[in-house]
Amino acid sequence: GAGVSQSPSNKVTEKGKDVELRCDPISGHTALYWYRQSLGQGLEFLIYFQGNSAPDKSGLPSDRFSAERTGGSVSTLTIQRTQQEDSAVYLCASSDQQGVAYGYTFGSGTRLTVV
Amino acid sequence: GNSVTQMEGPVTLSEEAFLTINCTYTATGYPSLFWYVQYPGEGLQLLLKATKADDKGSNKGFEATYRKETTSFHLEKGSVQVSDSAVYFCARSQGAQKLVFGQGTRLTINP
């Protein structure tokens, strides 16, 4: 597509429920990233996929968080047993194989509210 | 460690004022440096970048110079407009593919 598409744009869920957030990167981009933007804080790296390599999961805050990327394209971030501290904007970005020096393209994010 | 520290906001200026948003970083080696902007209701957009020492990135009247000696990448604009109101994020590369972001600075320009 023309840009990075994320869905849903907003999600309100009850504490303890599982949620899935979807990211559709720019066609042909081999790298895909998930970041979290909490109120009043910067962007926190969560996970990174590059082609067929094993993902870099070093930023996932707990084992309730997981992500997969199917067919090297669409990615799903899953949060199990959501907690109120999970409330944030979850941002997805993609980049081409030229790497970070050329910048990422971000989606508009999914605003998650856990009540 | 590897981090990015930005000037705390919020910053409020009048139209046509001079803008500086400070950014310093710590890193091993020489990372690429970036400024991203997030306009209200939109996703982050790359504003400008510099990939080596003494490089100057520029876009939309904004400039930032990669200063190795002071490990800084301050964002400047000579005359701001109301449309520049946004949140600005400084970032540095970590390795070939990852970015580390500062906490963001909210800028409001009043007419």
Side-chain angles (χ1 to χ4, degrees), chain A residues 13 37-38 43 50 59-60 63-64 73-74 79 94 96 100 107-108 114:
Chain A
T13 190
Q37 184 178 14
S38 301
L43 277 73
Q50 172 61 57
L60 294 179
D63 59 8
R64 296 186 296 105
S73 181
V74 172
I79 308 173
S94 68
D96 65 21
V100 72
S108 297
V114 181

Side-chain angles (χ1 to χ4, degrees), chain A residues 34-113:
Chain A
W34 283 98
Y35 281 79
R36 179 167 69 174
Q37 184 178 14
S38 301
L39 185 64
Q41 299 186 27
L43 277 73
E44 173 189 13
F45 167 77
L46 297 178
I47 188 169
Y48 154 58
F49 296 89
Q50 172 61 57
N52 295 322
S53 302
D56 176 351
K57 304 180 182 180
S58 60
L60 294 179
S62 77
D63 59 8
R64 296 186 296 105
F65 288 73
S66 63
E68 62 177 20
R69 188 179 184 192
T70 54
S73 181
V74 172
S75 176
T76 303
L77 176 69
T78 301
I79 308 173
Q80 296 179 310
R81 305 180 302 282
T82 51
Q83 304 296 313
Q84 288 188 329
E85 61 263 29
D86 299 334
S87 296
V89 177
Y90 289 81
L91 294 169
C92 177
S94 68
S95 69
D96 65 21
Q97 60 188 356
Q98 295 186 78
V100 72
Y102 294 84
Y104 297 170
T105 301
F106 279 88
S108 297
T110 294
R111 182 175 297 279
L112 175 67
T113 304

Side-chain angles (χ1 to χ4, degrees), chain A residues 31 33 35 37 40-43 45 48 50 56 58 91 95-104 106-108, chain B residues 32 34 36 38 41-46 49 51 87 89 92-104:
Chain A
Y33 313 81
Y35 281 79
Q37 184 178 14
Q41 299 186 27
L43 277 73
F45 167 77
Y48 154 58
Q50 172 61 57
D56 176 351
S58 60
L91 294 169
S95 69
D96 65 21
Q97 60 188 356
Q98 295 186 78
V100 72
Y102 294 84
Y104 297 170
F106 279 88
S108 297
Chain B
S32 295
F34 305 82
Y36 278 78
Q38 187 176 31
E42 299 184 17
L44 274 79
Q45 303 172 26
L46 178 63
K49 66 179 173 70
T51 57
V87 181
F89 292 89
R92 55 168 286 275
S93 61
Q94 181 176 326
Q97 287 286 1
K98 288 169 65 172
L99 288 179
V100 175
F101 287 85
Q103 76 272 29

Side-chain angles (χ1 to χ4, degrees), chain B residues 52-78:
Chain B
K52 61 182 188 296
D54 299 325
D55 267 3
K56 177 185 285 188
S58 61
N59 186 23
K60 299 182 180 180
F62 290 89
E63 293 183 340
T65 301
Y66 190 143
R67 300 288 187 199
K68 181 180 63 174
E69 60 278 6
T70 54
T71 61
S72 64
F73 193 55
H74 303 322
L75 183 68
E76 296 182 337
K77 186 173 185 181

